[in-house]
Amino acid sequence: MGFMLDKVVPWGRSFDEYVRMFDLSAADLQQRILGCGDGPAEFNAELSRAGGCVISFDPIYVFNTAQIRSRISETYEAVMNQIRLNWADYLWETISSVEDLGRIRMSAMDGFLTDFETGRLEGRYIAGELPFLPFENQSFDLALSSHFLFLYSEHLTAEFHLQSLREMLRVANEVRVFPVLTLDGKPSQHLNSVTACLKEDGYCAELKSVPYEFQRGANQMLVIKPSAFTN
Ligand SMILES: C[S@@+](CC[C@H](N)C(=O)[O-])C[C@H]1O[C@@H](n2cnc3c(N)ncnc32)[C@H](O)[C@@H]1O
C-alpha cells in the first residue's frame, strides 16, 4: 500500500540533507534563501550560525518551542511505524537502520528547537501558509520546498501546487522542489500539468539529479526559473 499519513506532519531533515537534496553549492549557500514548509528546520539554524541569510516559512511557527516539541513527539511513532512497514522503499546506506534514522531526525529537530526562539525574534522563522507568502517581489534568490509540494499530492490539489509555485516565483528568482515523488513513491500526478502551466507563464522547469536518495527513486529535484536565465 505504501507510506500513508493522514495529514502533513512536522518532521525535519538535517542541514546536510538539505545541502544534498537541493545540490546547494557554496555560492548557493551565500544567497538569500527562503524555505517554504520548512518545519523543524535545522537548515535554518545551521546556516544562520554560519552567517548565511535564510528565512523559513511554516504554519507550525505560530506555536512555541514546547508546543512544537510535543507535536514532534506525537508524530515520531507514526512516522517511524510507517517507515518500518515500508522499510524496502528506502535505501539504507548513509542512514543504516530505522533506529539510526530516528536518531538523525531527532538530532536535527533538536538543533532547530534550540534555535527557534532566537530565530523567531530575529525574523528567521515566519508563520504562515502557502499558497500566500508575506514577502516583497523578488526578495530572495532561491526558494526551496522540501518534502511538502508534490510529496503530499494526495492531500493538496494541482491548483494549490500551481498557486504556491507561482507565489514562490514571485518572491524568488529560482525555485527548487524535492522530491517530486508522492509519499508512496510514485511520480506526482500533478507534476506534468503544473510544469506545463509554468512553462506557459515563461518559466523553464527541469528535473535535475541530486546527490541524495533515501526514499527509493527520489533523487531528482525540480528547478524552476525564468526562461531567460537558463543557458
Ligand atoms: C514533512 S514536513 C517537511 C519539513 C522540512 N521541509 C523537511 O524536509 O525536513 C512538511 C511541513 O509542511 C508544513 N506545511 C503544511 N501546510 C503548509 C502550507 N500550507 N504552507 C507551508 N507549509 C505547510 C508542515 O507544517 C510541515 O512542517
Side-chain angles (χ1 to χ4, degrees):
M1 181 176 286
F3 198 112
M4 288 197 322
L5 291 169
D6 59 5
K7 56 181 182 285
V8 182
V9 296
W11 191 242
R13 281 147 200 89
S14 69
F15 173 81
D16 172 64
E17 288 181 287
Y18 260 60
V19 168
R20 290 185 291 129
M21 288 185 302
F22 294 112
D23 203 11
L24 295 169
S25 64
D28 289 335
L29 290 170
Q30 298 202 345
Q31 297 199 314
R32 298 167 302 165
I33 300 178
L34 172 67
C36 294
D38 244 4
E42 191 198 43
F43 179 70
N44 190 316
E46 286 295 307
L47 185 56
S48 301
R49 201 187 335 274
C53 176
V54 54
I55 289 181
S56 296
F57 178 79
D58 196 293
I60 63 163
Y61 304 150
V62 292
F63 300 111
N64 64 32
T65 305
Q67 289 168 322
I68 297 176
R69 190 183 295 280
S70 135
R71 284 286 293 118
I72 291 170
S73 303
E74 287 164 19
T75 299
Y76 182 85
E77 272 313 319
V79 174
M80 298 307 273
N81 281 338
Q82 284 294 323
I83 300 265
R84 276 187 204 99
L85 281 173
N86 298 286
W87 188 84
D89 295 342
Y90 296 87
L91 285 183
W92 299 99
E93 290 170 354
T94 313
I95 299 172
S96 61
S97 64
V98 179
E99 291 66 36
D100 194 25
L101 174 71
R103 274 191 298 277
I104 291 170
R105 292 282 185 272
M106 290 313 280
S107 158
M109 290 190 273
D110 274 343
F112 157 80
L113 289 167
T114 307
D115 179 60
F116 181 57
E117 283 310 324
T118 308
R120 191 156 66 163
L121 289 172
E122 290 175 358
R124 290 189 281 110
Y125 296 110
I126 307 283
E129 292 187 39
L130 282 168
F132 303 108
L133 293 168
F135 305 109
E136 299 292 322
N137 292 353
Q138 300 300 302
S139 38
F140 298 91
D141 300 301
L142 193 53
L144 308 176
S145 163
S146 156
H147 293 84
F148 176 56
L149 293 176
F150 297 118
L151 184 70
Y152 287 91
S153 288
E154 293 298 326
H155 305 64
L156 306 166
T157 63
E159 185 56 28
F160 176 87
H161 280 76
L162 186 57
Q163 278 185 18
S164 298
L165 289 167
R166 281 180 171 149
E167 182 71 341
M168 290 167 74
L169 287 159
R170 179 184 68 75
V171 304
N173 299 323
E174 178 181 334
V175 168
R176 299 185 193 178
V177 183
F178 181 94
V180 289
L181 301 186
T182 58
L183 280 174
D184 60 2
K186 301 196 178 95
S188 164
Q189 63 271 38
H190 303 320
L191 185 63
N192 289 341
S193 63
V194 168
T195 52
C197 289
L198 292 172
K199 284 176 188 170
E200 276 179 24
D201 288 352
Y203 294 104
C204 168
E206 287 181 332
L207 291 175
K208 291 201 175 157
S209 295
V210 296
Y212 179 87
E213 184 174 351
F214 178 52
Q215 184 188 20
R216 212 173 271 281
N219 54 13
Q220 289 186 308
M221 66 174 167
L222 176 66
V223 180
I224 312 161
K225 46 190 165 183
S227 293
F229 285 3
T230 55
N231 54 17

